[in-house]
Amino acid sequence: MGAYPQIADWNEDGLIDLLVGDTNGKISLFQNNGSVGNPQLTAKGFIKANNTDLYVGNRASPVVVDWNNDGKKDLVVGDDNGYIRLYLNSGANNDPKFTSFTYIRMNNANIIVSYSASPEVCDLDGDGKKDLLVSDYSGYVYFYRNSGTDANPIFTTQERLLAGSNYMKTNSSYARIDVVDWDEDGDLDILAGETDAYVSLFLNTSNPSSVAEQTFEVPSEFSLRQNYPNPFNSSTTIFYQLPKPANVNLSIFNLSGQLVKALVNEPKMAGYHLVNWDASGVSSGIYLIKLTTDQFSETKKCVLQK
């Protein structure tokens, strides 16, 4: 679950280059200096945004696409918090430049899945307009149908794709998808990787327009989930959800009640949220993770083992 590759002719020299998103939230570029039949990759450092390393927090999952049909390649990047970021190319097609990003939105709200969003951009329903697919930590795949134009995508509904009568889902976590006409029948199929090292094939046997639409939903209740991994060594991930906007305090305490680290202390929107705790400077032991809002409080124990 540590590398998220994407291929593209980044510098328009006729050779396929490699971009790799990593668990640290950055994207590395490997330029092909070989030939079509004999690729030779050279590390060129991290992709930049506003002259600094492009950084999305954790688990950058990139897609290269001309989002606004201006003839230049852009970047769509999923992050570990479940959001999808759009970086428009302000440079040239053979020398992409990025300054800032916007979140891809649906119905005037940022698109978000549970967490660890991994996007794919394709015309899944065959109407000539780019759509958005997003897989997540839970292994589900969500379809956002483009109701705008190909040059100006607009999303108003979220559909969780079906496989037979059940929701499409990988066997384990951190799904990453690719879309291809696997059986050469004229429609797009889905390949899905996962942390157990299996790759699942989902063949498309019907037009996606027949998929029952499911409008975007926020969580129905407050919740603090158990951190993962637990026990852990140096770093762990904490996941919580909010059914409505709230002032959030997420803090770590020792068993004596002393504050070890305040991870979050600010207003947060409704939805699913993920925070990484870097405990590299903290001693081994049992610690308490406490989530507090104006209307909710919950505590979980975690074990740091070094």
Side-chain angles (χ1 to χ4, degrees), residues 71-91:
K72 300 186 293 187
K73 58 180 69 70
D74 307 304
L75 277 176
V76 174
V77 186
D79 67 28
D80 213 22
N81 289 318
Y83 295 102
I84 312 297
R85 304 180 185 213
L86 171 62
Y87 293 84
L88 292 177
N89 183 358
S90 58

Side-chain angles (χ1 to χ4, degrees), residues 169-183:
K169 189 178 186 299
T170 56
N171 291 321
S172 63
S173 57
Y174 291 105
R176 174 80 194 275
I177 59 173
D178 197 7
V179 179
V180 64
D181 186 0
W182 185 262
D183 52 3

